[in-house]
Amino acid sequence: MKRLPIPDDVTGDEIDKDVRQELQSLPKGLAEEVSRNLVMVARLIDEDPEGAYAYSRIALRLASRVAAVREAAGFAAYASQKYSEALAEFRAARRMTGNVDLWPVMADCERGMGRPEKALDMAGAPDVQKLDKAGQVEMRLVAAGARRDMGQLDAAIVTLQSPELASHSVQPWTARLRYAYADALLAAGREDEAREWFAKAVESDKDGSTDASDRLAELDGVEFVDALVEDESEPQADSGTEAQPKSVREADRVIQAEADEIDEIDETDEVDETDEVDETDEVDETDNEDLDDAEDERDERDDERAEEGDEEGGDKGDDEDAPRG
């Protein structure tokens, strides 16, 4: 059989005295191992129901004939929402002990299995009269839940109305009873009454067994924000740098935008200056070309005059050298 690790600080002596007495029917070493697994069930059942269930299965394989083990296995399965398995374990434990204390949770298993009518039948059974006050209040809670499962909200509200609900004394069941009543009123659309009873549930819920305070705040329009949760809409700071406040980041963005505008203006000015220089260069080149053309024309005229002068001089020379008649 595969065993699960158990911390060294778990000795098995932590279990209830009545459970330890039941385990005395087992060999000492086996009893110690079973008790240590039961301690792990109790430790994990609220925070890690599946883990608790795993330890309960080991204890069950080791000592299935011990009622306390069957009961622990039933509660572990119930916490893991394995209602059919939980009901089977509770029935086995009840057969072993004849105890009716498990009757309300057995009825709630019927609800979990989608059989609210069966739960209501159990709520009206004679065994309910054998329950103590806490058991009877628990049975009332289960019956009201079954009514709600069947869509009978008004009947659920009436089921919860009882001397225990009206009592001003605070008992272990008071907060849960008031909470269930407030929740049923809210489901029926009676918001003002629901708010009143949620407030009463808060007053009696000293150990925080319900979320009545959150429900009350929700009705009052109060919204809680976890200060430890970072605003996901803001970009994360780079590694090795400190995250800046939002106001600083906004200022940086404004400054950057202004800098970008200035850069655009500078680039425009540079373009304009370049265009002006180009235009000036073009004008200078045009003027130079015009001057060159003028000089060329002047040179041509000078050449023409020189050629004409040479021709006239030649004619005169010829006349002087001719023979005289």
Side-chain angles (χ1 to χ4, degrees), residues 162-171 174 178 197:
S162 60
E164 293 81 15
L165 180 67
S167 176
H168 294 290
S169 64
V170 176
Q171 302 295 333
T174 302
R178 292 176 177 178
W197 281 97

Side-chain angles (χ1 to χ4, degrees), residues 56-235:
S56 74
R57 300 309 296 177
I58 294 175
L60 188 61
R61 287 196 295 269
L62 293 172
S64 61
R65 296 182 180 276
V66 176
V69 173
R70 302 301 290 266
E71 183 175 328
F75 277 111
Y78 178 82
S80 301
Q81 299 183 4
K82 298 176 175 64
Y83 298 115
S84 177
E85 187 175 329
L87 183 58
E89 297 301 334
F90 289 143
R91 284 174 174 169
R94 185 170 181 270
R95 283 195 302 270
M96 292 177 180
T97 63
N99 197 327
V100 297
D101 292 347
L102 296 173
W103 194 253
V105 71
M106 290 169 62
D108 206 37
C109 286
E110 296 287 358
R111 282 188 61 211
M113 294 164 62
R115 300 195 295 234
E117 298 88 352
K118 179 63 175 176
L120 286 177
D121 289 343
M122 294 180 67
D127 284 339
V128 175
Q129 303 304 318
K130 302 176 184 178
L131 295 169
D132 59 12
K133 182 64 66 176
Q136 290 180 5
V137 171
E138 193 66 34
M139 192 71 251
R140 190 178 293 276
L141 289 169
V142 173
R147 292 290 184 187
R148 291 190 62 175
D149 292 343
M150 299 168 66
Q152 302 173 2
L153 279 174
D154 291 338
I157 292 171
V158 172
T159 300
L160 293 169
Q161 293 171 346
S162 60
E164 293 81 15
L165 180 67
S167 176
H168 294 290
S169 64
V170 176
Q171 302 295 333
W173 62 78
T174 302
R176 292 180 59 241
L177 182 59
R178 292 176 177 178
Y179 181 94
Y181 188 59
D183 192 51
L185 289 170
L186 186 61
R190 296 159 62 174
E191 187 171 316
D192 291 340
E193 294 175 82
R195 190 201 175 284
E196 176 187 351
W197 281 97
F198 274 128
K200 291 182 177 180
V202 171
E203 293 175 0
S204 58
D205 192 6
K206 303 303 180 183
D207 58 355
S209 60
T210 71
D211 64 345
S213 59
D214 293 339
R215 299 292 297 279
L216 182 61
E218 184 180 348
L219 288 174
D220 290 340
V222 178
E223 186 174 337
F224 296 100
V225 178
D226 190 349
L228 298 178
V229 177
E230 295 181 359
D231 186 359
E232 295 181 357
S233 64
E234 294 295 335

Side-chain angles (χ1 to χ4, degrees), residues 160-303:
L160 293 169
Q161 293 171 346
S162 60
E164 293 81 15
L165 180 67
S167 176
H168 294 290
S169 64
V170 176
Q171 302 295 333
W173 62 78
T174 302
R176 292 180 59 241
L177 182 59
R178 292 176 177 178
Y179 181 94
Y181 188 59
D183 192 51
L185 289 170
L186 186 61
R190 296 159 62 174
E191 187 171 316
D192 291 340
E193 294 175 82
R195 190 201 175 284
E196 176 187 351
W197 281 97
F198 274 128
K200 291 182 177 180
V202 171
E203 293 175 0
S204 58
D205 192 6
K206 303 303 180 183
D207 58 355
S209 60
T210 71
D211 64 345
S213 59
D214 293 339
R215 299 292 297 279
L216 182 61
E218 184 180 348
L219 288 174
D220 290 340
V222 178
E223 186 174 337
F224 296 100
V225 178
D226 190 349
L228 298 178
V229 177
E230 295 181 359
D231 186 359
E232 295 181 357
S233 64
E234 294 295 335
Q236 297 293 326
D238 293 336
S239 177
T241 61
E242 294 183 359
Q244 293 179 325
K246 183 177 180 181
S247 60
V248 176
R249 291 193 296 271
E250 291 293 340
D252 288 343
R253 281 195 283 269
V254 172
I255 293 172
Q256 184 61 45
E258 293 177 351
D260 293 340
E261 291 178 2
I262 293 172
D263 291 341
E264 290 177 2
I265 292 172
D266 291 341
E267 290 175 0
T268 302
D269 292 342
E270 290 177 1
V271 171
D272 293 340
E273 291 176 359
T274 302
D275 292 340
E276 290 176 359
V277 172
D278 292 341
E279 290 175 0
T280 302
D281 292 341
E282 290 176 1
V283 170
D284 292 340
E285 290 176 0
T286 302
D287 292 341
N288 291 334
E289 290 177 359
D290 293 340
L291 291 174
D292 292 340
D293 293 340
E295 290 178 356
D296 291 339
E297 290 178 1
R298 189 168 56 251
D299 292 340
E300 289 178 0
R301 286 196 297 272
D302 291 341
D303 292 339

